Amino acid sequence: MDLKQLSVAVGELEEEKVSELLNEFVATNPEMEDAQKVLVACQEGMGIVGEKFESSEYFVADLILAGEILLTALNILKPVIGESSSVKKGKIVLGTVRGDLHDIGKNIFKNMADAAGFEIYDLGIDQPAENFIKKVQEVNPEIVGLSGVLTLAVDSMKDIVDGLKEAGLRDGRRIIIGGNPVTEETCKFVGADAFTTNAAEGVKICKGWVS
Amino acid sequence: MIIIGEKINGTIPVVKKAIEEKDEEFIRTRAIDQSEAGANYIDICAGTAPDLEVETLKWLMDIVQDAVDKPLCIDSPNPRVIEAVLKYAGKPGIINSVSLEGDKCEVIYPLIQGTDWQVIALTCDNRGIPKDVQTRIDIAKVLVEKAASYDIGPEKIHIDPLVIALATDNTSLFSFVDTMKNIKAIYPMIKVTSGLSNISFGMPLRKVINQNFLTLAIYAGMDSAIMDPCNRDTMATLLATEALIGRDRFCKNYNGAFRKGKIGPKKEK
């Protein structure tokens, strides 16, 4: 498996090529470890897509297509990537925060966390604190994931964390924030437990919390 | 949309000149430009005097087929000329055209029987271009039935309902759309095609009329067009329309064309 070639194919949005490469790979009955590497290569491809979007070479529909390609990739890899056991690792309530409509990063995280065995409750985009509170009350998740790309998302994230606190739902629960604007400082400001700009790392953090 | 590139036509003065001067490079460049711009077929029309037509078509076909990989659309009013040059085509393309004039169908249809060749069929007969929709539909039916007798299915036929100039007929677009919808209701697999410029004859700012015609015609179901793929505005209109009507998944073609600089402002080299 030429991982570089795979990353480029994802980056260039070559749907058929990606599926072809991954199907060939899965047909070789690969080790879980190799499958993880392949997944990372796909994520690197998404990184290329992100860069091209930043530089105005790609447009919104291209991002959505990229998300679709990754979803297909994950579905192809699912049987060899392991950890798709029926016993769920834990629950995550997830959403893009109010004022922000970006969901590609969130969806990548969602798909990867799902593949890693989490039970995901995805609220969608532009979600205010009350929706998070409602869902947390309903499903009592171990983890809450807040996603956003715009800088204004940081304030919304804080509102949500504050809201959870006020509702008495913060304790005994982990909160992870993800997306372009998050840093260690924002993490502190928001009152989250962890931050990441990398979906794969986010999943790793979540796994660490529930193991 | 199936794009039939119209730029190698001896009735265009610069092309006529190139044919007369045997300017191979000029023809070659036109073929490559159209192919790169997105033409699916390259129309080849000699436009010369009848005694030179076969020779000229062969010359054009050889150059174009050497320059690009796209199938040809062989364009001549004389079915016997098409008969004479068909063997020089490297792969099946489109024959432009048959109609109910003279014995066009009787000459052309047997030539493409059992092959992958397609054919453009004009809805006119010995009486000329019909004024009304019903006559066009009636002619289309005969054209398709005749084809069927040579085992040529409707999917191989591009009906050209012969758009009338808007300047002379206020309902010309509606006639076109009406004809198209009726014919498609009878033969769902048939293709409907048109040139883009007839509609604007005699009007100022023809390209605006042509582009809006293109949008409306695609929306109404037109499958192919004989057009200039190198015209960036026309291509932008075409791609935008296809995206708008949900024929361009994730706006891939539209965004891709922009990225490659095929539409939108020309990029600095």
Side-chain angles (χ1 to χ4, degrees):
Chain A
M1 180 81 184
D2 184 342
L3 295 176
K4 178 85 193 149
Q5 190 191 12
L6 177 64
S7 300
V8 170
V10 173
E12 296 294 324
L13 306 174
E14 295 176 53
E15 296 177 87
E16 281 157 27
K17 177 103 185 168
V18 172
S19 296
E20 191 188 306
L21 288 169
L22 292 176
N23 281 321
E24 276 171 22
F25 171 72
V26 169
T28 63
N29 263 328
E31 297 290 322
M32 204 186 296
E33 201 178 312
D34 290 327
Q36 293 288 350
K37 280 183 194 158
V38 167
L39 186 57
V40 170
C42 289
Q43 284 153 11
E44 278 165 8
M46 295 300 285
I48 300 173
V49 173
E51 283 164 24
K52 287 184 187 254
F53 183 70
E54 290 281 308
S55 66
S56 301
E57 189 182 333
Y58 280 0
F59 304 96
V60 172
D62 299 310
L63 287 189
I64 294 169
L65 170 59
E68 197 81 1
I69 292 173
L70 192 75
L71 191 61
T72 309
L74 282 163
N75 281 331
I76 297 171
L77 290 172
K78 241 180 191 167
V80 295
I81 226 154
E83 299 183 78
S84 57
S85 61
S86 52
V87 184
K88 290 289 175 187
K89 274 201 148 52
K91 295 176 195 161
I92 303 176
V93 166
L94 177 68
T96 300
V97 299
R98 192 178 60 187
D100 204 326
L101 307 174
H102 296 83
D103 62 355
I104 293 182
K106 170 184 71 69
N107 290 344
I108 296 168
F109 173 83
K110 173 185 161 183
N111 291 330
M112 290 180 63
D114 180 40
F118 284 95
E119 206 172 323
I120 314 291
Y121 298 89
D122 182 5
L123 297 174
I125 56 172
D126 195 18
Q127 292 296 316
E130 53 263 37
N131 291 359
F132 278 92
I133 292 165
K134 223 169 115 191
K135 202 65 184 175
V136 168
Q137 277 169 338
E138 186 192 323
V139 304
N140 191 25
E142 286 84 353
I143 299 165
V144 176
L146 308 178
S147 176
V149 167
L150 306 173
T151 44
L152 66 83
V154 173
D155 290 326
S156 298
M157 288 173 179
K158 183 164 168 50
D159 288 345
I160 293 163
V161 176
D162 289 347
L164 288 169
K165 273 183 197 156
E166 279 163 29
L169 297 167
R170 175 69 178 92
D171 289 341
R173 219 178 302 284
R174 308 281 196 163
I175 297 178
I176 181 165
I177 58 174
N180 206 32
V182 305
T183 61
E184 190 152 6
E185 286 91 79
T186 42
C187 186
K188 272 189 198 144
F189 169 75
V190 165
D193 299 300
F195 73 98
T196 182
T197 53
N198 176 324
E201 189 191 63
V203 173
K204 213 167 132 191
I205 295 168
C206 291
K207 274 163 125 180
W209 282 340
V210 295
S211 62
Chain B
M1 269 291 285
I2 300 161
I3 299 169
I4 304 166
E6 68 184 2
K7 292 183 71 124
I8 302 182
N9 188 319
T11 60
I12 303 169
V14 280
V15 177
K16 182 172 193 277
K17 186 162 164 274
I19 290 171
E20 282 163 4
E21 293 170 359
K22 293 268 174 235
D23 185 349
E24 211 175 306
E25 205 44 46
F26 180 90
I27 303 296
R28 168 178 286 275
T29 307
R30 282 212 153 198
I32 293 169
D33 287 351
Q34 291 188 93
S35 173
E36 285 177 354
N40 303 105
Y41 296 85
I42 311 284
D43 191 87
I44 311 270
C45 178
T48 50
D51 55 323
L52 290 174
E53 202 183 350
V54 169
E55 180 193 325
T56 307
L57 269 178
K58 181 184 183 303
W59 181 73
L60 291 170
M61 287 168 75
D62 287 347
I63 298 168
V64 172
Q65 294 188 102
D66 182 56
V68 299
D69 204 27
K70 299 282 159 75
L72 303 176
C73 178
I74 301 176
D75 187 348
S76 170
N78 184 345
R80 284 174 180 81
V81 168
I82 292 175
E83 183 177 22
V85 299
L86 199 64
K87 57 177 175 285
Y88 304 122
K91 59 175 141 192
I94 303 175
I95 285 172
N96 187 6
S97 56
V98 298
S99 68
L100 291 187
E101 287 169 283
D103 58 358
K104 284 188 175 187
C105 290
E106 287 70 24
V107 177
I108 299 295
Y109 284 163
L111 291 175
I112 63 171
Q113 183 172 15
T115 72
D116 286 329
W117 279 90
Q118 303 165 58
V119 62
I120 293 174
L122 316 179
T123 58
C124 60
D125 58 17
N126 292 327
R127 295 167 297 176
I129 299 176
K131 292 232 169 356
D132 61 320
V133 170
Q134 191 54 49
T135 313
R136 285 182 163 81
I137 298 167
D138 294 341
I139 292 175
K141 278 191 200 163
V142 178
L143 287 163
V144 175
E145 279 159 20
K146 281 192 181 194
S149 68
Y150 295 94
D151 306 318
I152 300 162
E155 73 284 354
K156 293 214 169 72
I157 302 173
H158 300 244
I159 291 283
D160 183 343
L162 296 170
V163 174
I164 300 285
L166 177 60
T168 63
D169 177 359
N170 211 232
T171 61
S172 105
L173 175 79
F174 289 128
S175 300
F176 174 77
V177 169
D178 246 12
T179 307
M180 173 158 65
K181 293 203 163 158
N182 277 291
I183 292 171
K184 287 195 164 200
I186 310 171
Y187 309 109
M189 299 303 288
I190 209 161
K191 297 182 180 79
V192 172
T193 194
S194 175
L196 301 187
S197 54
N198 290 354
I199 189 94
S200 64
F201 178 79
M203 291 179 74
L205 275 181
R206 289 185 71 171
K207 64 178 183 185
V208 175
I209 303 290
N210 297 346
Q211 281 163 20
N212 284 288
F213 167 73
L214 178 63
T215 296
L216 292 165
I218 294 173
Y219 180 62
M222 185 169 73
D223 304 274
S224 60
I226 304 151
M227 55 177 269
D228 176 4
C230 302
N231 183 316
R232 302 165 66 85
D233 293 334
T234 306
M235 280 305 278
T237 301
L238 187 153
L239 291 165
T241 303
E242 293 217 290
L244 281 166
I245 63 170
R247 280 207 218 151
D248 182 9
R249 205 171 139 261
F250 296 110
C251 310
K252 233 179 151 176
N253 296 333
Y254 182 84
N255 286 354
F258 180 83
R259 257 194 295 283
K260 288 181 194 132
K262 287 181 183 174
I263 58 172
K266 272 199 174 155
K267 290 183 179 165
E268 303 286 326
K269 290 252 167 108

